[in-house]
Amino acid sequence: MSQLNALIIDDNANNILVLQQLLTIEGVDSAKLPTANNLLVQLDMLPRIDIVFLDLELPGVNGYEAIEILHAHAATASAKIVAYSVHISELHNVMELGFDGFIGKPLNSESFSDQLWRILNGEKVWYSS
């Protein structure tokens, strides 16, 4: 199996750090972006991405706008895209807009591994905590 690659798009450095640590434990490489602004340019510099953790509330281009860009770009067209947010109230919108899952912040380190692999295996996963 080839190396799995994740992309984290979040403007909170602490959230990125925690998520990167959990992904490393699972053997998944990760890249991070603090904003979805200039997303097309950033994606051109990345390898093929298997999963994207996308904060919904970002400065400039928000997560709802970013998902359209991610679906259209070759590096992320087949990636699983997970809404990664404190805004549990957005769960219904996320489901309707084609996300592959929702994982609420703060992350639950005990359930993260199961959530990650279920999403990567094609299951829609909706966790608010």
Side-chain angles (χ1 to χ4, degrees):
M1 179 183 224
S2 62
Q3 178 62 46
L4 293 174
N5 296 299
L7 175 61
I8 304 165
I9 305 175
D10 194 331
D11 59 338
N12 183 302
N14 289 331
N15 290 338
I16 292 171
L17 180 62
V18 169
L19 187 48
Q20 283 186 307
Q21 290 173 341
L22 291 171
L23 288 166
T24 297
I25 290 168
E26 298 300 321
V28 178
D29 283 344
S30 62
K32 63 183 188 239
L33 295 175
T35 176
N37 297 339
N38 301 314
L39 187 55
L40 284 173
V41 173
Q42 300 293 333
L43 290 173
D44 285 340
M45 295 185 276
L46 296 173
R48 177 195 45 79
I49 300 294
D50 300 290
I51 189 167
V52 178
F53 292 89
L54 179 59
D55 188 9
L56 297 177
E57 190 173 292
L58 293 163
V61 177
N62 68 38
Y64 296 116
E65 296 162 325
I67 190 173
E68 293 178 23
I69 298 167
L70 292 165
H71 280 309
H73 195 280
T76 51
S78 64
K80 304 296 182 190
I81 301 178
V82 179
Y84 168 59
S85 179
V86 297
H87 299 288
I88 309 309
S89 61
E90 294 297 314
L91 187 56
H92 183 72
N93 290 337
V94 165
M95 292 171 126
E96 286 186 349
L97 292 172
F99 284 81
D100 296 290
F102 180 98
I103 297 178
K105 295 178 188 176
L107 287 174
N108 180 336
S109 60
E110 293 180 9
S111 59
F112 179 77
S113 178
D114 177 62
Q115 294 167 355
L116 172 68
W117 294 108
R118 287 171 55 203
I119 292 167
L120 285 169
N121 286 319
E123 186 177 335
K124 303 276 186 179
V125 173
W126 313 107
Y127 281 95
S128 58
S129 60

